[in-house]
């Protein structure tokens, strides 16, 4: 249903438990392209959606490695090669004295990589999203838990999916315009 | 559920008591004999002091971890508390007070076999040693040692009998009382330990002082005590009672505690080194200088990799902390590296130990005291259940996660 | 307030729901009229006067030069560095609360972490002003503060702890800021969705980056947040250790002390927690947050204050013990200079520090004192004064008493030293009140998460109780 006028069908639930149960039933019914929207991180929800993404920790580890190397290189290059300067007879490449700055660079690079990779992979900043088209969605950041089965799902048929979701015990079911 | 539990094997750490005791006593007798023989006396005593520092330090480490557990009351601590109680209890501390006698004897011998300040001739020519006489004299050292050990033994006994009592009475007031004694005890242990470790070990390097020394020493031995306890729990994770509490959350907590101490110990070691290296004052820098000469430097440098990077890289990986087998490997690694590190801290202080070649006497003393340590440990661990009966938090947590 | 058994005090009081939490916390910045009362205007106005004093001081300083301060050789570092270290230390409690307690799964942190993170950021801003202005002309000081290729062809000297400091403090500020902002994104989304005022809606929408609470987003968000906490923990230790290296790696008696790093870190946390308690007491009253920040939080914070205070006291005893043990003339003369209250002019600073940092806080051993407002306030004020005095004793007092008696000079602060210090205090309070007015001072989504967890725990307990009583029948 690629040319559907709708982004998907959204159902609103009152508790996280109801949402998790709904996700499970939707998956059992064969739906795969869906997302849940909650005011706070709900434990176990991403497992239920069969969503796993381990790239943030990996990027952060790589960021840490790059940070450590660049911190060390910066000090060695500037203080031992480009501008060698004798300080109290200490060696030009003073490993012990290099540790603090190397450490700080490790942390800085890793932290910034983590934050930016999280924001970019989440597709943010994104001021407009189809989900904002339904008025009740304002409560997704407050006290309601939403499940949206998206139109790109192969099993998506507006009427069938709406009926299916109405049977999930949702507070309301709405079609989300594109 | 209960049927499968009964079918599982039960861990019996007390079994090794008599075997270890026999081995320990035999080796100890040989060590004492070598101390009496003129030629080997000096080397034997030096090796003995190092062995006493390591195994005694492990005892103090267990004791300080017990105090810490009673101050924090963390659920993960109940899995290892009984190991620390046995390893750092009143009997273990008493044993190491007795084993201190040969060292005390060198202090009163009027020679500088171990401590330069024990030789009146050296003290006469050294104003700093004269200034330290109230503490660094045979009598001062003996009195301090006795007071310090007396206090520790009293406190260890008080806490241990309280947990054992609570196991039968299930009286929560005992725990409340320990929660008061834990932090107070910790404060006094650290204060008294600072003075004691200064006399026992720091004064080997005659003029050297470092304010970081006592925290560094205490954390290092606590690290060894933690790794031994984690090793035992993980090694016997399939046997009862540990099988009944083993969960990924527990191994994660224990692994994170290991990770914390890995980083904290390195932080203390590195800070002390950097400050002394950068200050470059003769009386302070000589400590690292003697430990960087004649091959000792390779031990010192290898510690950066073995004691920091290896455990760090293993422990930041979540898979290491998920399986007891992996964690057991890290714990064993840390324990062995702690032995080497303590060797590097103690022995280069002696002017005749120019190279890090282990002597036969080192091995002998280390095995003798180690066997005694485990004999005492075994005799104590079998006197109480391996897991405290009164604290069922770990079992409950596991029960909840299954339900 | 009657004494309570702290184990029985809940983390969230009252009968709360997700929307009641929104009403309590999220509506504070949305209902701007609530702030137009004396309780907000008076402290903010007074703080603003001090901000002006700060601006005048800085203006005069830039015009006239740092000669307006009292420090001069041999006391090259005095109030400026004392205040720098004091402010950085206060900031550390924020990182500690948000990062270490998150890793330790301490649920009580959720009510206070946002507030203390804000404190971190403003405290680091105050701290940063001092060394920057101590350079006299900060805009020409860049080439030796930051490594960039310049036409002079020179580079900063990385064997100097001052360079480590530049990296540590700037990393610390950056990481604290992104950590704080990351925590705020979902809350800005809540504010966006609750705001009725259109400009406010736009501002919060912009700040929220279009956050819509997708489960996939939360998955990555939590990974990044937890790892950031994991990074912040060693970072906070390293920052104050590096601050302590500023002194410890030199050879000034009283500075070249190897225990400085952990002892400084403990001191920082000590003053920081005292400051959180001190600021939280009025704020929770003013904005009706008593149900979210309960006595349990104060009890915990008081315990940590006591624990870090004991570490600091241990540091003092180490200095005295090894001062005696070393048998060094310099160390001995330093002890006399600090402690001889009959002859030495600044010994009052040392003894007041012992009173403020070691003696008074021992009150916190008693659970009753930890729950009494007067005791909490007295101890926390005294800790903050004591920690300031500690830095005074360590920094200028060590410089006044050096190896060569001929170079010893007394140091006296000038009026500009004081105006700069109190000016930054005013700036800090001013920023805190702006923060309370425009940003949710308590983490909304984490409190909802906590509420959900507490409800579930309660539910499973009642279920169990039903099961056991059912079994008996």
């Amino acid at each position: 249903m690629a040319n559907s006028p709708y982004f998907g069908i959204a159902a609103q639930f009152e508790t996280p438990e109801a949402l998790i149960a709904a996700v499970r039933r939707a998956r059992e019914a064969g739906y795969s392209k869906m997302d849940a929207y909650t005011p706070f991180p709900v434990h176990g929800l991403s497992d239920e959606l069969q969503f796993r993404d381990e790239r943030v920790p990996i990027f952060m580890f790589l960021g840490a490695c790059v940070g450590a190397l660049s911190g060390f290189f910066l000090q060695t290059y500037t203080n031992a090669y480009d501008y060698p300067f004798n300080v109290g007879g200490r060696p030009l490449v003073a490993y012990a004295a290099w540790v603090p700055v190397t450490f700080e660079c490790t942390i800085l690079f890793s932290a910034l990589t983590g934050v930016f990779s999280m924001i970019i992979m989440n597709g943010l900043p994104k001021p407009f999203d189809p989900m904002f088209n339904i008025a009740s969605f304002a409560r997704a950041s407050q006290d309601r838990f939403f499940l949206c089965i998206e139109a790109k799902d192969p099993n998506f048929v507006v009427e069938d999916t709406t009926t299916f979701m109405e049977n999930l015990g949702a507070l309301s079911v709405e079609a989300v315009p594109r | 559920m209960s049927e499968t539990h009964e079918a599982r094997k039960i861990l019996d750490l007390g079994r090794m008591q008599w075997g270890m005791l026999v081995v320990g006593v035999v080796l100890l007798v040989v060590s004492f004999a070598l101390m009496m023989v003129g030629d080997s006396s000096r080397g034997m005593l030096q090796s003995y002091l190092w062995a006493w520092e390591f195994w005694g330090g492990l005892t103090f480490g267990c004791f300080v971890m017990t105090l810490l557990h009673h101050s924090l009351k963390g659920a993960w601590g109940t899995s290892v508390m009984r190991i620390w109680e046995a390893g750092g209890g009143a009997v273990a501390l008493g044993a190491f007070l007795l084993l201190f006698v040969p060292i005390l004897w060198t202090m009163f011998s009027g020679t500088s076999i171990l401590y330069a300040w024990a030789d009146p001739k050296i003290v006469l020519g050294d104003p700093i040693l004269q200034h330290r006489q109230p503490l660094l004299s045979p009598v001062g050292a003996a009195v301090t040692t006795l007071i310090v050990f007396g206090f520790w033994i009293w406190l260890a006994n008080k806490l241990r009998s309280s947990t054992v009592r609570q196991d039968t009475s299930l009286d929560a007031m005992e725990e409340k009382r320990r929660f008061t004694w834990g932090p107070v005890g910790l404060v006094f242990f650290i204060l008294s330990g600072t003075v004691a470790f200064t006399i026992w070990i720091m004064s080997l390097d005659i003029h050297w002082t470092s304010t970081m020394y006592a925290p560094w020493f205490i954390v290092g031995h606590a690290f060894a005590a933690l790794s031994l306890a984690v090793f035992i729990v993980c090694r016997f994770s399939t046997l009862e009672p540990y099988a009944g509490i083993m969960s990924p959350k527990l191994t994660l907590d224990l692994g994170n505690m290991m990770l914390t101490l890995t980083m904290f110990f390195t932080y203390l070691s590195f800070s002390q080194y950097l400050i002394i290296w950068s200050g470059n004052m003769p009386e302070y820098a000589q400590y690292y200088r003697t430990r960087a000469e004649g091959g000792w430097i390779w031990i010192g440098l290898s510690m950066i990799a073995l004691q920091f990077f290896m455990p760090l890289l293993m422990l930041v990986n979540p898979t290491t902390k998920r399986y007891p087998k992996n964690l057991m490997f890290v714990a064993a690694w840390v324990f062995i590296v702690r032995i080497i590190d303590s060797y590097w801290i103690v022995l280069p202080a002696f002017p005749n130990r120019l190279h890090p070649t282990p002597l036969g006497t080192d091995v002998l003393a280390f095995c003798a005291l180690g066997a005694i340590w485990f004999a005492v440990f075994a005799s104590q661990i079998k006197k109480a259940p391996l897991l405290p009966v009164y604290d069922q938090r770990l079992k409950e947590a596991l029960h909840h996660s299954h339900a | 307030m009657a004494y309570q058994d702290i184990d029985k005090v809940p983390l969230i009081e009252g009968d709360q729901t997700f929307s009641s939490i929104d009403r309590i916390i999220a509506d504070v910045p949305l209902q701007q009229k609530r702030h137009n009362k004396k309780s907000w205007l008076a402290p903010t106005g007074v703080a603003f006067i001090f901000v002006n004093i700060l601006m005048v001081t800085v203006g005069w300083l830039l015009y006239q030069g740092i000669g307006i301060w009292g420090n001069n050789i041999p006391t090259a570092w005095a109030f400026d560095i004392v205040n720098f270290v004091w402010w950085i230390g206060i900031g550390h409690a924020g990182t500690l609360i948000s990062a270490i307690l998150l890793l330790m799964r301490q649920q009580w942190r959720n009510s206070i972490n946002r507030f203390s993170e804000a404190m971190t950021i403003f405290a680091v801003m105050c701290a940063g002003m001092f060394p920057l202005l101590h350079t006299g002309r900060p805009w020409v000081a860049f080439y030796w503060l930051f490594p960039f290729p310049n036409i002079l062809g020179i580079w900063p000297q990385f064997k100097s702890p001052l360079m480590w400091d530049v990296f540590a403090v700037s990393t610390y500020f950056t990481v604290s800021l992104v950590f704080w902002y990351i925590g705020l994104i979902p809350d800005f989304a809540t504010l966006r969705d609750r705001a009725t005022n259109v400009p406010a809606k736009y501002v919060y929408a912009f700040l929220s980056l279009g956050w819509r609470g997708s489960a996939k987003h939360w998955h990555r968000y939590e990974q990044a947040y937890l790892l950031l906490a994991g990074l912040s923990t060693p970072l906070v230790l390293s920052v104050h250790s590096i601050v302590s290296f500023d002194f410890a790696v030199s050879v000034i008696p009283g500075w070249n002390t190897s225990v400085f790093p952990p002892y400084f870190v403990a001191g920082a946390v000590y003053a920081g927690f005292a400051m959180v308690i001190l600021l939280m007491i009025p704020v929770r009253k003013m904005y009706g947050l008593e149900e979210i920040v309960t006595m349990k939080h104060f009890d915990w914070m008081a315990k940590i204050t006591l624990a870090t205070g004991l570490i600091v006291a241990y540091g003092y005893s180490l200095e005295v013990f090894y001062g005696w043990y070393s048998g060094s003339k310099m160390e001995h003369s330093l002890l006399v200079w600090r402690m001889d209250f009959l002859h030495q002019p600044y010994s009052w600073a040392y003894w007041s520090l012992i009173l403020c940092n070691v003696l008074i806080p021992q009150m916190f051993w008693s659970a009753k004192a930890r729950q009494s407002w007067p005791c909490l306030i007295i101890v926390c004020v005294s800790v903050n004064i004591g920690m300031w005095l500690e830095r005074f004793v360590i920094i200028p007092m060590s410089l006044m008493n050096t190896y060569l008696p001929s170079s010893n000079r007394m140091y006296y602060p000038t009026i500009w030293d004081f105006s700069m210090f109190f000016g930054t205090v005013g700036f800090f309070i001013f920023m805190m009140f702006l923060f309370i007015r425009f940003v949710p001072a308590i983490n909304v989504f984490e409190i909802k998460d906590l509420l959900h967890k507490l409800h579930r725990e309660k539910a499973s307990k009642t279920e169990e109780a039903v099961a056991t009583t059912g079994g008996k029948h």
Side-chain angles (χ1 to χ4, degrees):
Chain A
M1 283 297 255
N3 303 323
S4 167
Y6 296 112
F7 171 72
I9 308 287
Q12 189 185 151
F13 297 91
E14 196 167 8
T15 62
E17 287 77 16
L19 174 67
I20 290 183
V23 171
R24 187 174 305 151
R25 280 185 51 197
R27 227 186 50 234
E28 282 162 5
Y31 292 106
S32 55
K33 299 272 185 281
M34 55 185 164
D35 202 350
Y37 302 86
T38 56
F40 57 84
V42 174
H43 187 70
L45 188 57
S46 57
D47 294 339
E48 210 58 70
L49 285 164
Q50 293 188 320
F51 178 76
R52 274 199 86 67
D53 186 347
E54 299 294 331
R55 285 177 298 171
V56 171
I58 294 171
F59 282 144
M60 284 180 86
F61 181 74
L62 293 178
C65 296
V66 172
L69 290 176
S70 34
F72 193 84
F73 171 77
L74 170 76
Q75 299 175 84
T76 311
Y77 172 72
T78 58
N79 279 198
Y81 296 102
D82 203 43
Y83 188 63
F85 197 83
N86 186 331
V87 181
R90 289 176 182 80
L92 285 177
V93 181
Y95 296 98
W98 278 192
V99 169
V101 171
T102 308
F103 178 81
E104 299 302 330
C105 289
T106 311
I107 300 283
L108 182 67
F109 278 56
S110 179
L112 292 182
T113 318
V115 170
F116 286 117
S117 62
M118 185 273 280
I119 288 177
I120 291 166
M121 285 195 285
N122 280 350
L124 301 176
K126 189 180 186 193
F128 298 104
D129 189 86
M131 285 308 287
F132 293 129
N133 289 338
I134 52 173
S136 61
F137 191 68
R139 294 185 74 172
S141 67
Q142 299 176 45
D143 56 352
R144 287 287 187 266
F145 302 81
F146 283 76
L147 171 66
C148 177
I149 296 180
E150 288 159 23
K152 59 187 173 196
D153 192 290
N155 293 341
F156 183 88
V157 180
V158 179
E159 298 75 26
D160 296 0
T161 309
T162 312
T163 331
F164 169 75
M165 291 186 88
E166 272 163 358
N167 292 333
L168 286 177
L171 295 174
S172 70
V173 175
E174 281 173 84
V176 184
R178 226 175 243 291
Chain B
M1 186 102 172
S2 59
E3 281 161 335
T4 52
H5 271 218
E6 276 159 28
R8 279 188 185 142
K9 277 194 198 153
I10 293 169
L11 172 64
D12 181 13
L13 286 169
R15 244 182 351 192
M16 62 180 170
Q17 181 188 351
W18 296 109
M20 282 291 178
L21 192 65
V22 170
V23 174
V25 168
V26 169
L27 294 179
L28 208 57
V29 168
V30 178
S31 309
F32 287 157
L34 285 173
M35 283 176 202
M36 302 299 159
V37 183
D39 286 349
S40 58
S41 161
R42 189 183 174 84
M44 187 65 233
L45 276 160
Q46 291 172 351
S47 308
Y48 184 84
L49 179 70
W50 164 60
W52 189 86
E53 191 269 349
F54 180 77
W55 291 107
L58 186 62
T59 312
F60 311 140
C62 288
F63 181 44
V64 80
M65 289 307 272
T66 318
L67 291 171
L68 195 68
H69 171 67
H70 292 316
S71 312
L72 297 178
K73 300 194 288 192
W76 61 273
T78 56
S79 66
V80 280
M81 184 194 87
R82 281 278 142 81
I83 297 173
W84 290 333
E85 273 186 352
V91 179
L93 287 166
F96 276 85
L97 177 60
L98 279 182
L99 292 169
F100 191 70
V101 169
I103 299 166
L104 204 60
W105 171 71
T106 67
M107 292 177 179
F108 282 95
S109 69
T111 59
S112 59
I113 300 178
L114 293 180
Y115 301 97
W117 50 263
D119 187 343
K121 285 191 293 287
I122 295 178
V123 175
L124 265 180
D126 191 325
I128 292 181
L129 290 186
Q130 278 168 28
H131 169 79
R132 292 178 186 166
Q133 278 286 299
L135 202 63
L136 292 191
S137 59
V139 177
V143 170
T144 316
T145 306
L146 273 178
I147 294 176
V148 162
F149 263 105
F151 168 66
W152 295 351
I153 290 171
W154 170 78
L155 185 62
N157 182 45
K158 189 177 171 65
L159 291 171
R160 163 76 165 196
S161 40
S162 163
T163 64
V164 172
R165 255 201 320 273
Q166 197 182 346
D167 261 355
T168 45
S169 69
L170 298 178
D171 176 9
M173 271 315 284
E174 296 279 358
E175 194 164 4
K176 277 229 155 100
R177 250 172 265 146
R178 285 200 306 276
F179 189 49
T180 312
W181 280 105
V184 175
L186 205 55
V187 169
F188 283 97
F189 174 82
I190 290 174
L191 287 177
S192 53
T194 303
V195 179
F197 304 142
T198 304
I199 298 175
W200 297 335
I201 313 295
M202 193 208 268
S203 71
L204 291 172
D205 293 87
I206 310 173
H207 287 160
W208 184 69
T209 64
S210 166
T211 43
M212 182 73 102
Y213 191 78
W216 184 49
F217 192 95
I218 294 169
V219 171
H221 287 303
F223 193 19
L226 176 71
S227 56
L228 179 71
V230 170
F231 176 81
I232 292 176
V233 172
C234 292
R235 169 72 184 79
F236 301 110
S237 60
T238 50
L239 300 183
E240 280 302 320
Y242 295 134
I245 53 161
M246 206 34 78
S247 71
K249 187 174 174 297
L250 177 66
T251 47
L252 181 73
D253 282 345
L254 292 174
N256 281 339
M257 198 60 205
M258 297 268 300
L259 179 63
T260 309
L261 275 186
T262 304
M263 293 201 284
F264 193 58
F265 182 73
T266 308
Y267 162 69
L268 297 184
S269 313
F270 174 72
S271 303
Q272 175 174 272
Y273 174 72
L274 181 63
I275 288 166
I276 290 174
W277 176 85
S278 220
N280 204 18
M281 307 273 270
E283 67 265 40
Y284 303 123
Q286 55 103 354
Y287 181 83
Y288 286 107
R289 196 181 162 154
T290 49
R291 279 157 185 78
E293 280 172 341
W296 284 108
I297 189 165
W298 299 113
I299 298 193
L301 283 179
S302 68
M303 283 300 122
I304 300 170
L306 303 181
Q307 197 161 226
F308 177 61
F309 281 107
M310 278 300 287
L312 178 84
L313 290 177
M314 288 192 281
L315 288 168
V316 289
N317 184 353
T319 16
T320 312
K321 293 178 278 194
R322 189 174 309 229
Y323 304 106
K325 241 191 194 139
N326 298 350
L327 200 57
M328 176 188 98
F329 174 74
V330 185
W333 177 284
V334 169
F335 191 77
I336 292 166
V337 175
R338 287 297 305 140
I339 298 171
I340 305 171
D341 192 39
S342 122
Y343 193 74
W344 179 75
I345 286 170
V346 176
L347 286 169
F350 301 115
N352 58 323
R353 291 295 190 112
L354 290 174
H355 303 285
T357 335
L359 303 181
T361 50
D362 293 342
V363 180
L364 177 65
F366 184 81
C367 294
L369 293 192
I372 300 262
W373 194 93
F374 278 107
V376 173
F377 173 75
S379 76
Q380 293 305 299
I381 196 113
K382 66 182 178 191
K383 283 194 182 153
L386 271 178
L387 294 176
V389 180
Y390 59 84
D391 196 329
Q392 296 288 336
R393 277 180 292 170
L394 285 173
K395 263 193 186 144
E396 276 165 19
L398 201 63
H399 174 71
H400 273 293
S401 67
H402 281 314
Chain C
M1 173 130 207
Y3 166 64
Q4 301 162 301
D5 184 353
I6 215 67
D7 293 338
K8 296 199 180 96
V9 179
L11 283 170
I12 300 177
E13 283 179 350
D15 208 7
Q16 306 291 352
T17 61
F18 296 138
S19 51
S20 76
I21 283 172
D22 278 336
R23 274 197 299 281
I24 295 176
I25 316 167
D27 284 354
V28 171
L30 291 176
Q31 297 167 352
Q32 282 294 321
K33 286 209 178 93
R34 276 173 76 176
H35 303 278
N36 294 336
K37 282 187 299 189
K38 265 191 203 136
S39 55
W40 189 85
L41 289 173
T44 316
V46 173
F48 189 63
I49 294 172
F50 280 91
V51 173
N52 285 291
I53 293 175
L54 176 69
M55 289 197 287
V56 170
T57 311
V58 171
W60 180 236
L61 179 87
L62 293 179
Y63 177 76
Q64 187 72 10
I66 57 164
I68 65 166
W69 289 342
N71 34 344
N72 209 334
I73 302 299
T75 315
W77 284 358
F79 262 43
D80 48 347
I81 307 299
V82 171
N83 298 336
F84 163 69
V85 179
W86 189 74
W87 275 121
I88 283 274
I90 284 177
H92 282 357
T95 319
L96 195 89
I97 288 172
S98 53
I100 299 186
L101 299 181
L102 176 72
L103 298 180
M104 288 168 72
R105 290 181 285 230
Q106 295 287 330
Q107 293 174 330
W108 60 274
R109 83 178 254 290
N110 291 357
S111 308
I112 49 174
N113 68 333
R114 168 76 45 74
F115 186 79
S116 40
E117 282 165 34
M119 210 182 80
T120 299
I121 288 164
F122 304 138
V124 175
M125 283 181 181
C126 291
M129 277 184 225
F130 287 96
L132 276 181
L133 291 168
H134 193 187
T135 63
R137 300 282 181 272
W139 55 93
V140 295
F142 275 125
Y143 73 89
W144 47 264
L145 285 180
F146 291 101
F148 64 91
N150 53 60
I151 53 166
L152 299 172
I154 59 174
W155 289 103
Q157 177 49 252
F158 284 105
K159 267 160 242 162
S160 160
L162 302 184
M163 275 315 295
W164 309 344
D165 230 7
V166 171
F167 274 75
V169 175
S170 52
T171 300
Y172 184 49
F173 184 72
T174 314
V175 174
S176 304
L177 196 66
V178 294
F179 194 55
W180 190 60
Y181 181 63
I182 289 289
L184 274 165
I185 291 174
D187 284 4
F188 281 141
T190 308
L191 290 180
R192 169 196 69 201
D193 292 338
R194 284 182 76 84
T196 41
N197 175 332
V198 174
K201 210 175 180 75
Y202 272 98
V203 170
Y204 288 126
F206 179 76
L207 290 171
S208 71
L209 302 179
W211 182 263
R212 52 189 190 276
S214 151
K216 293 169 186 170
H217 292 186
W218 279 121
H219 179 77
R220 295 193 191 97
Y221 179 92
E222 282 203 293
Q223 284 176 335
Y225 197 70
L226 199 68
L227 285 171
L228 224 50
L231 288 175
S232 302
T233 308
L235 175 66
V236 73
L237 279 158
S238 81
V239 171
H240 223 68
S241 301
I242 287 173
V243 168
S244 83
F245 286 151
D246 286 346
F247 314 105
V249 299
S250 73
V251 292
I252 309 281
W255 283 12
N256 187 10
T257 305
S258 57
V259 82
F260 261 19
Y263 154 61
F264 265 55
V265 172
V269 176
Y270 187 37
F273 266 87
M275 190 61 109
V276 179
I277 296 178
L278 213 51
L279 291 175
M280 207 70 211
I281 291 174
V283 167
R284 84 194 259 278
K285 272 258 149 17
M286 273 165 58
Y287 289 100
L289 303 173
E290 282 102 334
E291 289 174 332
I292 311 286
V293 184
T294 62
M295 214 59 217
K296 199 169 196 143
H297 296 98
F298 287 99
D299 187 77
W300 268 106
M301 288 195 281
K303 277 180 189 156
I304 293 182
T305 310
L306 176 66
T308 46
L310 289 170
I311 301 178
V312 169
Y314 177 53
Y316 302 148
S317 60
L318 284 177
E319 282 182 329
V320 176
F321 175 64
Y322 287 106
W324 168 80
Y325 178 85
S326 72
S328 132
K329 263 204 187 97
M330 258 340 285
E331 295 285 341
H332 184 249
S333 104
L334 186 79
L335 288 184
V336 171
W337 165 241
R338 281 181 183 173
M339 295 166 81
D340 181 353
F341 55 90
L342 290 178
H343 302 99
Q344 303 301 341
Y346 273 134
S347 55
W348 60 265
Y350 185 79
W351 291 109
S352 339
L353 122 83
I354 296 292
L355 176 73
C356 291
N357 271 359
V358 180
L359 300 178
I360 293 177
Q362 301 308 319
M363 252 199 262
F364 276 170
W365 283 98
S366 141
K368 278 184 190 134
R370 292 196 299 262
Q371 293 184 26
S372 123
W373 300 124
C375 284
L376 280 169
I377 292 171
I378 289 169
V379 172
C380 292
V381 168
S382 103
V383 166
N384 273 307
I385 296 173
M387 282 312 294
W388 192 91
L389 287 169
E390 181 202 296
R391 277 67 178 253
F392 183 79
V393 166
I394 290 174
I395 301 165
M397 274 179 69
S398 299
L399 289 170
M400 283 179 245
N401 182 56
T402 55
Y403 288 105
L404 287 174
S406 66
S407 61
N408 290 357
R409 296 268 188 293
M410 282 299 287
Y411 159 77
Y412 299 103
T414 65
I415 178 96
W416 298 109
D417 280 309
F418 285 103
S419 68
M420 179 97 187
F421 174 59
F422 290 110
T424 51
V425 174
F427 173 78
F428 176 76
I429 294 172
F430 183 68
M431 294 301 278
M432 283 310 282
F433 275 93
L434 288 188
F435 154 74
I436 291 166
R437 181 161 185 163
F438 294 110
V439 175
I442 293 178
N443 200 321
V444 183
F445 84 85
E446 283 187 352
I447 289 289
K448 285 179 189 162
D449 189 17
L450 176 63
L451 184 72
H452 179 231
K453 274 190 193 128
L454 294 178
H455 275 324
R456 280 187 58 171
E457 267 169 35
K458 216 178 186 178
S460 76
K461 265 190 195 142
T462 32
E463 247 171 54
E464 236 167 61
V466 170
T468 45
T469 46
K472 269 175 199 165
H473 283 292

